[in-house]
Amino acid sequence: MLNLIPALGLIGVLLGLPLPLATQLAEQAPLSAAQVRSPDWRMRVTLYHQGGGGAGARDSLGCAPVAMRTAATDRSVAPRRSIIFIPETVGLEMPNGERHDGLWYVSDTGPAIRGQRIDLFTGMGRRSMDPIQHLNVRQVDVVRMGTFEGCPPRD
């Protein structure tokens, strides 16, 4: 099984991370070629946060949204309860100070989320969007990794 640690380090460098940090990130996220395959979708990213009118206290599953983990999609494209991998988010700073592993949980929908679009929940307040703002209204690759039961895990 091919190990993608060197590739993840390269992704980190391409994201502008210093080489030691990119290498450390790659070692923390040992995804194999069997886990990461060709993208299932190419989607346009938008961001939403609590306190901005876009997010309520509960997502469409009735769960509390999880900062930098909850995603909203068109149900006819990426079904709810999907675990997805977005390579462009690997290495982003999480609210707890750790680095993002690229995994998101589709647990929300919205009236404006149609077609090849994904809305990523960033947390409380406008400043929560800062670490991921560079992806807003950009196209990203999205890989469906599996499904989850219940509510998305809280980091």
Side-chain angles (χ1 to χ4, degrees), residues 4 8 19 28 31 52-53 64 81 88 92 95 105 118 120 139 153:
L4 293 180
L8 288 172
L19 187 55
Q28 291 174 357
L31 297 173
R81 299 197 182 280
E88 292 89 343
L92 294 176
Y105 298 84
I118 188 165
L120 302 177
Q139 297 285 323

Side-chain angles (χ1 to χ4, degrees), residues 51-71:
R58 300 281 174 210
D59 61 24
S60 66
L61 294 177
C63 303
V66 181
M68 300 295 284
R69 291 291 184 196
T70 295

